[in-house]
Amino acid sequence: MNYLYYPGCSLKGTGRAYDESLKAVCRALGITLSEVPDWNCCGATAYMSVEETRAHALAARNLSLADAAAADKGLKRDIIAPCSACYLVLAKTLHALDEQIETRVLVERALKAGGLDMPKAGLQVRHPLDVLVNDVGLAAISAKVKSPLKGLKLAPYYGCQLVRPYAAFDDQAHPVTMDRLMAASGAECVDFPLKTRCCGGSLTGTVPDAGLRLAYIILKEAKKRGAHAVVTVCPLCQFNLDGYQDKIAAEFEEVAMPVLYFTQVLGLALGLSERELGIQRGIVPAEPALAGRR
Amino acid sequence: MPLQQTMRYESERDRAFADWVESITGGENVKGCIQCGLCSATCPLSIYMDYTPRRLVNLARAGFKDEVLSSFTIWLCASCYACRAECPKQIKVTDIMYALKRRAIREGSYPRRFPIPILAKEFSRMIRGFGRTPETFLVADLFLRTNWLRFLDMIGLGLNLLRTGRMSFVPESIQGRDQLRRILDSVDGESAKEERAVKEAA
């Protein structure tokens, strides 16, 4: 299986462990990822707050480069975008190009000014969670699980932008795809009603009074429900929940809750080493929670 | 005791602003809002807002331009789309928030020294320059510009990122920087778009 890969800025920086663990899991499952050549930042939530049509043109450059690369190399026209913000921004621009005629015309002209073509119909933006469960399939994954994570209790945290507003492959408020994948890895998911509540987004840095409390609410609930770790699908969620626990301890209480990527948990179950999955990159160490589980 | 007006006269509304709200992306169904308050109930940030999302939508569609554009509400929206998912009238509240942020930036009417609009502008500037967002540079730059005491406050987090190998020292940059600039420059900016809309209306 061959897919286009759009890592996004976070996976090259603070979310490095997500990039490492996703690539390791894909190698183990026989999935080839081809990075979109010379991709640019998707624009996240910030660019759309300043410019609308330009934000779509910015995202469309990636779509155009991806489409050209797919045609060139004969790849499946599915772009895997692991960061929820990138996933949503790219999908939103695809929707806008399809639904808003004026945006389509202006973006086409902009791409032409850069010597690029409009992405053709049929190009898709996919999340690795969707690809693993719906393309590879749980049966095929279960067959490759070598060291199930016995007794590991996880709080499955999906965050917001993966399921809203488009809910392309799961429910907007109560998604289950990751729960099923974690079960296939041998771990147990606790009942977690805050699955899709906001982690605070960029507010943890900009308006900590509000942002830190949002992150704390998620962590506190995971602890109350008996989770050994939170498992997430998004680099910003991981960063907020993992990186600010010092400040949360100072402001509210100490939670000491490791925050893993779902690809790290799956990778461990597939028998990959902690090192190649970037487990050591957690600011709150996950090693104690994982010790002796496989 | 001087008397203060506690309600508005019909004539004090900004009708042009109300018309504009209906014309923005996401504003299509705004007249159909039944003020049920599900958006405010589901919003994880409404407890910090000066106007809850329900009130903000009502003020915006009625033309209370100054109240809406200088509110904290639009800057506290973290774009989690919970309101849009819950809205029984399918109003794209998050897209309305985005449009109001753009208008507030364009008119310079955002709350003073509030870091989010500054972050948004700085973020776009860096993308224009590098094509990618050097996260750690962006954060450092933001706090030095807005509140350098906060910068000192972030040193602990910076050291943790350094220890775990998650800090970047060289900003990532794309090859096609000129191409990206040509693409961005060939699109009218927000103010040019606005002028064109006004001209067309006239």
Side-chain angles (χ1 to χ4, degrees):
Chain A
M1 277 188 268
N2 290 307
Y3 291 89
L4 292 154
Y5 179 48
Y6 179 86
C9 302
S10 291
L11 271 78
K12 296 286 170 192
T14 55
R16 215 158 269 171
Y18 195 6
D19 183 58
E20 292 163 343
S21 56
L22 175 63
K23 283 178 176 161
V25 162
C26 285
R27 266 196 307 276
L29 295 173
I31 301 170
T32 311
L33 299 175
S34 304
E35 192 163 320
V36 174
D38 207 39
W39 57 269
N40 56 262
C41 173
C42 72
T45 53
Y47 210 100
M48 187 50 90
S49 306
V50 184
E51 301 271 358
E52 184 181 17
T53 315
R54 273 189 190 145
H56 287 308
L58 181 75
R61 179 176 177 272
N62 294 313
L63 299 171
S64 171
L65 291 172
D67 209 20
D72 200 33
K73 296 181 191 160
L75 301 172
K76 198 169 156 72
R77 292 169 66 230
D78 285 6
I79 308 170
I80 291 189
C83 166
S84 297
C86 301
Y87 170 79
L88 172 59
V89 166
L90 297 177
K92 194 168 183 165
T93 294
L94 269 184
H95 276 264
L97 295 180
D98 190 40
E99 293 157 11
Q100 303 168 10
I101 298 164
E102 195 187 354
T103 304
R104 188 182 171 83
V105 170
L106 293 172
V107 168
E108 184 162 11
R109 199 171 64 193
L111 288 175
K112 199 176 265 178
L116 297 176
D117 294 324
M118 278 290 265
K120 286 167 210 68
L123 186 72
Q124 289 196 84
V125 181
R126 310 271 310 271
H127 192 270
L129 189 57
D130 174 19
V131 168
L132 289 173
V133 173
N134 297 315
D135 290 10
V136 181
L138 288 171
I141 291 173
S142 300
K144 292 201 173 169
V145 167
K146 289 183 191 141
S147 28
L149 294 147
K150 289 187 209 83
L152 181 66
K153 286 189 180 180
L154 299 169
Y157 179 60
Y158 296 74
C160 48
Q161 298 194 338
L162 173 67
V163 283
R164 288 190 302 260
Y166 297 125
F169 65 95
D170 210 334
D171 188 79
Q172 293 196 319
H174 306 288
V176 294
T177 312
M178 179 162 56
D179 298 49
R180 296 167 66 209
L181 190 60
M182 292 300 100
S185 308
E188 184 193 331
C189 283
V190 302
D191 182 25
F192 195 56
L194 303 188
K195 274 179 176 178
T196 64
R197 198 189 145 95
C198 176
C199 71
S202 55
L203 296 173
T204 40
T206 49
V207 190
D209 289 343
L212 279 184
R213 186 183 285 272
L214 262 62
Y216 168 58
I217 289 171
I218 310 284
L219 292 166
K220 171 180 79 166
E221 190 63 23
K223 193 178 178 184
K224 195 174 117 191
R225 304 232 163 209
H228 300 124
V230 170
V231 59
T232 175
V233 300
C234 168
L236 185 56
C237 297
Q238 201 283 339
F239 182 77
N240 277 340
L241 299 179
D242 179 35
Y244 288 96
Q245 285 193 32
D246 283 357
K247 287 196 190 311
I248 287 171
E251 187 105 355
F252 305 101
E253 62 166 314
E254 180 155 5
V255 276
M257 178 65 65
V259 186
L260 294 164
Y261 291 108
F262 76 102
T263 41
Q264 292 180 308
V265 177
L266 177 60
L268 289 170
L270 293 172
L272 305 173
S273 73
E274 290 190 357
R275 194 91 204 159
E276 67 188 308
L277 297 167
I279 302 285
Q280 75 284 0
R281 298 197 191 278
I283 290 170
V284 178
E287 289 84 348
L290 296 169
R293 300 266 179 221
R294 46 170 200 155
Chain B
M1 194 183 76
L3 282 181
Q4 267 195 346
Q5 184 186 338
T6 57
M7 284 185 209
R8 293 303 177 94
Y9 286 107
E10 181 85 12
S11 58
E12 287 172 307
R13 302 185 318 156
D14 185 331
R15 281 169 189 279
F17 184 76
D19 290 344
W20 173 81
V21 168
E22 270 184 66
S23 77
I24 59 182
T25 311
E28 306 85 4
N29 304 333
V30 76
K31 268 194 175 159
C33 170
I34 55 172
Q35 289 287 294
C36 69
L38 270 174
C39 48
S40 302
T42 194
C43 177
L45 286 144
S46 57
I47 64 161
Y48 295 102
M49 290 173 171
D50 39 4
Y51 302 107
T52 59
R54 176 191 65 82
R55 292 182 69 193
L56 193 88
V57 167
N58 212 20
L59 287 167
R61 68 176 176 174
F64 287 93
K65 181 181 168 189
D66 296 339
E67 287 82 349
V68 166
L69 292 187
S70 58
S71 73
F72 283 100
T73 298
I74 55 179
W75 300 108
L76 285 170
C77 170
S79 309
C80 81
Y81 293 85
C83 48
R84 173 165 166 183
E86 291 296 331
C87 179
K89 302 296 279 182
Q90 287 82 45
I91 295 168
K92 298 175 178 172
V93 186
T94 318
D95 288 335
I96 296 177
M97 295 288 182
Y98 272 127
L100 295 173
K101 288 178 204 185
R102 291 191 294 267
R103 181 84 187 247
I105 286 182
R106 199 159 70 238
E107 301 206 359
S109 56
Y110 49 84
R112 288 298 127 205
R113 293 192 64 76
F114 202 55
I116 304 171
I118 300 172
L119 172 77
K121 282 197 287 186
E122 202 51 26
F123 190 96
S124 335
R125 199 181 62 84
M126 283 196 174
I127 291 177
R128 201 187 144 77
F130 299 109
R132 291 195 187 160
T133 326
E135 296 168 297
T136 34
F137 294 80
L138 183 69
V139 172
D141 185 274
L142 171 74
F143 291 132
L144 290 173
R145 268 167 207 269
T146 53
N147 183 349
W148 62 271
L149 283 172
R150 284 291 318 286
F151 181 74
L152 296 178
D153 199 36
M154 299 300 271
I155 286 177
L157 177 59
L159 290 175
N160 277 332
L161 291 174
L162 198 62
R163 176 173 59 79
T164 52
R166 294 163 66 173
M167 179 84 96
S168 305
F169 293 99
V170 185
E172 286 242 355
S173 168
I174 63 167
Q175 297 292 313
R177 290 187 296 276
D178 287 341
Q179 178 191 51
L180 180 61
R181 262 173 238 149
R182 281 201 302 278
I183 291 174
L184 296 176
D185 289 348
S186 82
V187 178
D188 275 349
E190 290 293 321
S191 36
K193 236 164 73 178
E194 191 68 13
E195 277 167 30
R196 204 179 56 219
V198 170
K199 224 178 275 171
E200 275 166 19

